[in-house]
């Protein structure tokens, strides 16, 4: 029995799409465009930053150490097979970053960057929050990569032309973040 003071609700009203949520039938084109543009900007910022960081490791660009310099850092940080770890980190950052920029396999690229940044956070933990010794840079990149993994790339992305499941599912993003975290944990367990 309903209260005389409460308005009647129908099943249609109770289960109506939330206004303004991207992808819902009532989302205005301008709102959807803003959502897609925002994701594009986030992909560019995180992707270009991490790809440049990876190219420092791989090629020594942007005053980076290249494979040999990065291997020395990995060895000093307790990682076995330091040269291999430097190569894996450099490739993951470069390819994951470029994947984010292009919106190509975005949830997978985001999860790869997320896992790599978890390793970086673990290595730098204890140096406080603020750069250069702190973790603010790594934390921000990890959060941005996680956000893109969970949301997907938006419509301004190469993923739109690939035969991938649509729409992006939150469960896929969560599963990939868990995979990234598990792989990061496995790598961290190898450290001495």
């Amino acid at each position: 029995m309903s209260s005389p003071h409460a308005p009647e609700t129908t099943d249609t009203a109770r289960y109506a799409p939330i206004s303004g949520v991207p992808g819902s039938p009532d989302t205005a084109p301008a709102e959807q465009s803003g959502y897609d543009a925002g994701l594009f900007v986030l992909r560019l910022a995180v992707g270009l930053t991490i790809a440049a960081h990876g190219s420092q490791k791989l090629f020594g660009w942007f005053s980076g150490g290249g494979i040999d310099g990065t291997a020395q850092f990995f060895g000093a940080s307790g990682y076995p097979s330091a040269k291999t770890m430097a190569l894996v980190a450099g490739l993951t950052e470069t390819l994951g970053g470029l994947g984010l920029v292009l919106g190509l396999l975005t949830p997978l690229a985001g999860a790869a960057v997320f896992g790599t940044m978890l390793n970086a956070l673990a290595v730098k933990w204890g140096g406080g929050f603020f750069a250069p010794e702190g973790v603010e840079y790594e934390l921000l990149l990890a959060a941005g990569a996680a956000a893109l993994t969970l949301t997907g790339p938006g419509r301004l992305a190469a993923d739109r032309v690939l035969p991938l499941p649509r729409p992006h599912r939150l469960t896929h993003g969560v599963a990939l973040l868990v995979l990234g975290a598990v792989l990061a944990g496995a790598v961290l367990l190898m450290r001495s």
Side-chain angles (χ1 to χ4, degrees):
M1 175 165 27
S2 62
S3 164
H5 302 291
E8 280 293 315
T9 59
T10 64
D11 283 341
T12 305
R14 191 175 321 153
Y15 299 107
I18 300 170
S19 178
V21 172
S24 66
D26 66 336
T27 303
E31 290 176 22
Q32 182 66 45
S33 295
Y35 175 80
D36 293 327
L39 287 173
F40 179 67
V41 169
L42 181 59
R43 287 192 355 249
L44 284 178
V46 173
L48 288 174
T49 300
I50 198 70
H53 195 70
S55 70
Q56 287 181 302
K57 289 178 173 66
L58 288 178
F59 312 115
W61 295 350
F62 312 112
S63 303
I67 292 291
D68 292 334
T70 304
Q72 288 176 353
F73 171 78
F74 273 79
S77 298
Y79 288 93
S81 304
K83 199 164 193 169
T84 301
M85 289 296 202
L87 180 63
V88 168
L91 285 171
T92 303
E93 291 175 0
T94 303
L95 297 176
L98 292 175
L100 290 177
V101 169
L102 297 172
L104 181 63
L105 303 174
T106 305
L108 185 60
V113 170
F114 175 74
T116 303
M117 289 299 100
L118 290 182
N119 262 275
L121 281 164
V123 169
K124 289 188 75 175
W125 200 258
F129 180 74
F130 296 103
E133 292 86 19
V135 296
E136 66 178 329
Y137 170 77
E138 292 81 4
L139 187 61
L140 186 60
L141 289 173
L148 290 166
T149 302
L150 294 172
T151 62
R155 292 185 300 175
L156 304 173
D159 283 348
R160 299 265 305 162
V161 298
L162 295 178
L164 298 173
R166 291 202 209 343
H168 177 77
R169 304 226 189 289
L170 178 63
T171 53
H172 297 153
V174 170
L176 285 169
L177 287 178
V178 169
L179 176 63
V182 166
L183 292 174
V187 170
L188 285 169
L189 288 174
M190 289 190 268
R191 282 179 67 204
S192 54

